[in-house]
Amino acid sequence: MIANPNSRHASVRTIALCFVVALLEGLDLQVTGLAAPGIGAEFKLSPAQMGWMFSAGLLGLLPGGFVGGRLADKIGRKMILVISVILFGVFSLASVYAWDYSSFLVARLMTGLGLGAALPVLILLSSEAFEEKHRSTAVSMTYCGVPLGGAFASLFGMLNLGYGWRSLFYIGGLLPIAVAVLLILWLPESRAFQKDALHRRQVGSIGQTAFSDLFRSEMWRSTVMLWLGFFFTITTLYLLLNWLPSLLMRQGVDRSHASIVQIFFNLGGAAGALLTGRLLDRIRPGIVVVLTYAGMLLSLAALGLSDSFTVMTVAGGLAGYCALGAQLVQYSLAPKLYSTYIRATGVGTALTIGRMGAVGGPLIAGAILAAGAGVGGVMLAASPGLVIAAATALILYEKKTAESEGAIPR
């Protein structure tokens, strides 16, 4: 991918370290869902309270994504990533020592702040490590760590490590702190950021970028469409990440079988995240967008309507493949829309908008279940948003393809 051996080595190291951090993110994002039965029993939580428990960490993602992106554009990708990883590690450990429902919510809120700041930087570092024609693949190689981390969380959840639900939070806290040390020692700063920062120092424009740059000239249309795509895609993804085991158990699936479906969901997600990036770099992106979102709608229907464990398992794997593939579609698209000096801000802001849906998704699912609509009602409610997300991604990818082919002047 890169001709210079030294550059290649730095790029491979960047992807490897970003993958490890994404793995930890995936683990931490799912530990609350896996630990939910034990937490709910210990703190005697209602379904509505459990919805807020799922959403507490997601609330922290909102300012985390925006602030992390802005700071990464101003002071560098590496420093912000290190701080973010330490933050979510420390507060994941703090979750272990929660003494009641309120203290647990605070710990998860602060964990989410660190997670929110880390993800846009991971996307930027992996995207900026390679040439344009390989960037979707690079992002996918990093992002597939998220579902794999979720699969590890599911495996840990099936083991009896001697500390009940708190075992998952011990793992989710100690590992990030250790990885932060590796980042300090081995992670190179983005060459694109260094080059752009040098140029801006030479012309005296350091610190003069603004949030309004996301809306300059015709850019506002792309920004708004990107926000819609992120919002509806992440809403559905986090609904599944947080509620899937509980939804399956409501359909009569026992806990061990629900865990198996969750593992297939995460393994399918890893494959979807990885293969979708390769496809985006190799064939016309619009075809990938249509297939990915159509598969997502089909799998949601199967999960909501079937009572067969075999069908649920296959649908879980397909849902994971398409949900993470759809997320990768959005993550690969976002860096392509913005110049280096505002790129982290653009990606971080889109993630923040998306996470508003992530916060609302679990709450909406809880409300639908409380109203008696059932699992099918939850799955049906996600469908219109997925159609909108597919349409906006299709428009933006087709526009970028036309630009690259010279049909539309840059």
Side-chain angles (χ1 to χ4, degrees):
M1 291 184 183
I2 295 174
N4 187 308
N6 292 330
S7 297
R8 180 184 293 274
H9 180 74
S11 297
V12 170
R13 190 152 30 100
T14 295
I15 294 299
L17 289 169
C18 287
F19 170 82
V20 172
V21 176
L23 198 75
L24 297 176
E25 286 231 5
L27 189 153
D28 199 282
L29 286 170
Q30 291 205 34
V31 292
T32 303
L34 292 166
I39 298 170
E42 179 170 332
F43 296 139
K44 298 178 174 58
L45 304 182
S46 67
Q49 286 177 310
M50 290 185 69
W52 278 107
M53 178 184 72
F54 293 142
S55 293
L58 302 179
L59 282 170
L61 298 176
L62 300 180
F66 179 75
V67 174
R70 288 297 288 155
L71 291 177
D73 275 334
K74 289 179 176 294
I75 64 177
R77 308 342 188 184
K78 176 177 178 175
M79 182 181 296
I80 298 305
L81 183 60
V82 170
I83 293 171
S84 302
V85 171
I86 292 173
L87 188 64
F88 77 71
V90 166
F91 282 99
S92 186
L93 278 179
S95 302
V96 173
Y97 300 100
W99 58 91
D100 60 12
Y101 176 59
S102 297
S103 61
F104 184 82
L105 290 183
V106 172
R108 297 313 296 164
L109 179 70
M110 295 304 296
T111 302
L113 187 66
L115 290 168
L119 190 53
V121 184
L122 291 177
I123 295 170
L124 264 294
L125 281 168
S126 54
S127 175
E128 293 173 349
F130 290 95
E131 300 168 353
E132 175 67 31
K133 63 181 179 179
H134 297 300
R135 285 181 176 174
S136 293
T137 300
V139 173
S140 71
M141 290 172 68
T142 290
Y143 190 64
C144 73
V146 174
L148 285 176
F152 278 118
S154 297
L155 289 173
F156 288 138
M158 297 172 68
L159 300 176
N160 182 9
L161 302 178
Y163 295 95
W165 61 265
R166 289 179 170 82
S167 300
L168 292 169
F169 293 101
Y170 272 122
I171 295 168
L174 293 173
L175 289 179
I177 294 172
V179 169
V181 177
L182 301 181
L183 295 176
I184 293 170
L185 295 175
W186 293 337
L187 180 67
E189 180 58 275
S190 162
R191 295 189 303 277
F193 172 80
Q194 291 176 321
K195 182 179 179 180
D196 184 72
L198 176 62
H199 172 71
R200 287 189 288 142
R201 280 195 296 270
Q202 290 172 342
V203 300
S205 64
I206 285 288
Q208 295 182 11
T209 61
F211 175 75
S212 60
D213 289 348
L214 299 179
F215 301 91
R216 72 185 188 281
S217 186
E218 297 298 309
M219 181 57 68
W220 71 270
R221 291 189 178 89
S222 296
T223 293
V224 171
M225 283 193 286
L226 183 69
W227 287 2
L228 288 172
F230 266 73
F231 180 85
F232 288 115
T233 302
I234 295 180
T235 295
T236 304
L237 174 62
Y238 276 79
L239 185 154
L240 291 171
L241 286 173
N242 286 286
W243 273 104
L244 184 57
S246 298
L247 291 174
L248 293 172
M249 291 171 69
R250 281 176 173 268
Q251 289 179 273
V253 179
D254 63 50
R255 183 173 299 175
S256 63
H257 285 97
S259 295
I260 291 172
V261 176
Q262 183 80 347
I263 290 172
F264 272 82
F265 175 86
N266 285 290
L267 293 176
L274 185 59
L275 296 178
T276 301
R278 294 289 291 169
L279 290 174
L280 287 169
D281 282 334
R282 288 179 176 269
I283 66 175
R284 197 169 188 93
I287 297 173
V288 182
V289 171
V290 171
L291 292 176
T292 299
Y293 281 94
M296 187 63 187
L297 291 169
L298 178 64
S299 63
L300 287 179
L303 285 171
L305 300 175
S306 176
D307 58 2
S308 164
F309 174 66
T310 300
V311 173
M312 287 181 182
T313 303
V314 174
L318 179 62
Y321 183 98
C322 293
L324 273 294
Q327 192 64 83
L328 197 279
V329 163
Q330 303 292 335
Y331 285 177
S332 296
L333 175 62
K336 299 176 185 293
L337 300 180
Y338 303 108
S339 300
T340 302
Y341 80 98
I342 199 69
R343 188 173 293 146
T345 299
V347 174
T349 304
L351 279 168
T352 297
I353 297 295
R355 262 92 183 246
M356 291 180 183
V359 171
L363 295 176
I364 292 170
I368 291 172
L369 291 172
V375 176
V378 173
M379 300 305 181
L380 181 63
S383 300
L386 290 174
V387 174
I388 294 172
T392 57
L394 186 61
I395 292 169
L396 290 173
Y397 266 114
E398 288 299 307
K399 178 182 177 182
K400 296 304 294 183
T401 299
E403 288 177 352
S404 67
E405 293 173 351
I408 299 176
R410 289 181 181 268

